[in-house]
Amino acid sequence: VADLLVRHGGYDIRSAVVDHNVVFPRDSLVAAASSGLIGSVAETLYSFQGGTSQGGLRKDALPGWIENIQGQKIDVLLLVPV
């Protein structure tokens, strides 16, 4: 989580800089897993800025993400729009 950066030209990021769980709820998911509310959290979590090239994202990143998710046998995928 120390490597997590928050950048967005059209979004006020101050709350996300103070607490990244506002836009990337990793700590909340880990706490839910620790308490038994959910089974576990995947090894790898993904995030991208909405201003990213959608064509490039689908072509370059998405195939690897899908392969990784399928390999981990993920049951639920959480999407958090910002």
Side-chain angles (χ1 to χ4, degrees):
V1 176
D3 295 337
L4 186 64
L5 299 175
V6 179
R7 294 188 314 183
H8 196 293
Y11 173 77
D12 181 354
I13 65 168
R14 289 178 287 187
S15 61
V17 169
V18 172
D19 180 6
H20 65 268
N21 284 288
V22 170
V23 295
F24 194 76
R26 180 197 175 276
D27 295 344
S28 302
L29 291 170
V30 169
S34 294
S35 72
L37 186 62
I38 63 173
S40 62
V41 177
E43 290 177 25
T44 305
L45 304 176
Y46 302 93
S47 176
F48 64 92
Q49 184 211 24
T52 303
S53 163
Q54 300 302 303
L57 188 64
R58 282 192 305 268
K59 179 183 171 197
D60 300 327
L62 192 58
W65 292 357
I66 291 170
E67 184 177 331
N68 190 16
I69 290 167
Q70 289 174 334
Q72 291 185 55
K73 305 211 182 302
I74 303 295
D75 293 321
V76 175
L77 183 65
L78 175 65
L79 301 175
V80 182
V82 175

